Amino acid sequence: MFGWTTFDVTSQLPVHWDTDFAEVVRKHQKDRLLTPPHSTSREQNGTPALRTSTVRGSVMWEELPWIVDLYRGWFRELGERFARRTVIAATDRRYAVVLNVQDPGGDRSECHVDTNPIACLLYATSHRPETGGELAIANDVRSRSVAEVDRDCSVIYPQKGHLVFFDGRSNPHYVRAVTGGATRIVVAMNYYTEECPESTRPEDLDDYLYGSPVVG
């Protein structure tokens, strides 16, 4: 079975932290079409383009420096408790800290594997099981489609103020579509280790994730 570690960090976050995120989303949310496949994709052949929404990393540095400080500091230290080894923050602002956004009625995320050894998620919204937005992670590393992931998976439901660490390099995973309730907002953070440094990130991954034309 797949495993992860969760910390409730609500009490240590700034006042109105969630509304700060919502305001940044309102001003800076960018939509794009992500078209599989990529080396990290675990999608069935013929999967159509998926509409995805983000607030880019450069915006996070400019608009929300406090989350960057937490990413480099306390969150990284919590990551070391999870990984039981030295954890290194990314230096590239494009992918170190980003906001992922899913509006009700929108697409799911791409089914994929990670290239960094430690993924960190801070949920800014909570979602009930019946409203979608959960992270489905295959227990079988051989899964090669959403259907195969769903056949045997662990599920993480978004809980506001919860920080989640996991290693998604071997286990394909995706976020299910939000079918009701509020917009799903989550801070996605990437960490590295001495054994798996930032230099191992595929050179074409950022073009794949962020280089598609913006769609209106």
Side-chain angles (χ1 to χ4, degrees):
M1 297 292 289
F2 184 81
W4 64 91
T5 296
T6 302
F7 299 94
D8 184 349
V9 298
T10 309
S11 63
Q12 302 301 314
L13 297 175
V15 176
H16 306 310
W17 66 275
D18 51 343
T19 56
D20 285 351
F21 287 139
E23 180 62 14
V24 167
V25 168
R26 186 187 67 81
K27 294 192 298 182
H28 298 287
Q29 177 179 347
K30 297 293 184 182
D31 295 346
R32 69 186 186 281
L33 291 176
L34 189 65
T35 305
H38 182 264
S39 61
T40 60
S41 301
R42 296 296 182 267
E43 289 284 353
Q44 195 169 29
N45 289 339
T47 297
L50 298 163
R51 181 184 291 261
T52 63
S53 297
T54 61
V55 174
R56 300 293 176 84
S58 58
V59 173
M60 302 296 285
W61 244 262
E62 296 292 332
E63 298 281 340
L64 298 170
W66 61 264
I67 192 66
V68 176
D69 290 342
L70 286 171
Y71 164 72
R72 289 171 162 173
W74 185 45
F75 289 175
R76 185 189 59 77
E77 293 169 5
L78 292 176
E80 291 184 335
R81 289 171 57 181
F82 160 73
R84 299 182 180 179
R85 67 190 69 184
T86 299
V87 168
I88 304 165
T91 60
D92 194 316
R93 295 186 180 189
R94 288 177 296 176
Y95 52 78
V97 182
V98 299
L99 269 178
N100 290 333
V101 184
Q102 283 178 278
D103 293 315
D107 292 342
R108 63 171 174 83
S109 74
E110 182 192 34
C111 186
H112 68 284
V113 292
D114 296 338
T115 61
N116 56 297
I118 302 168
C120 177
L121 303 176
L122 173 62
Y123 288 108
T125 54
S126 294
H127 298 268
R128 299 188 305 275
E130 65 271 18
T131 61
E134 60 268 43
L135 177 61
I137 307 170
N139 293 317
D140 186 348
V141 298
R142 298 169 296 178
S143 300
R144 288 299 182 272
S145 68
V146 166
E148 291 182 4
V149 170
D150 286 343
R151 197 171 298 148
D152 178 18
C153 64
S154 299
V155 177
I156 300 176
Y157 293 99
Q159 293 292 322
K160 181 177 176 180
H162 283 206
L163 193 71
V164 178
F165 291 95
F166 64 92
D167 181 350
R169 289 176 295 175
S170 298
N171 299 71
H173 51 280
Y174 78 101
V175 179
R176 291 169 177 161
V178 177
T179 57
T183 295
R184 179 187 187 271
I185 301 174
V186 59
V187 186
M189 295 165 274
N190 292 319
Y191 288 106
Y192 294 87
T193 62
E194 293 176 352
E195 297 83 6
C196 185
E198 190 174 356
S199 59
T200 62
R201 185 177 177 88
E203 292 183 0
D204 64 342
L205 182 55
D206 294 305
D207 285 341
Y208 176 67
L209 293 176
Y210 308 123
S212 301
V214 173
V215 295

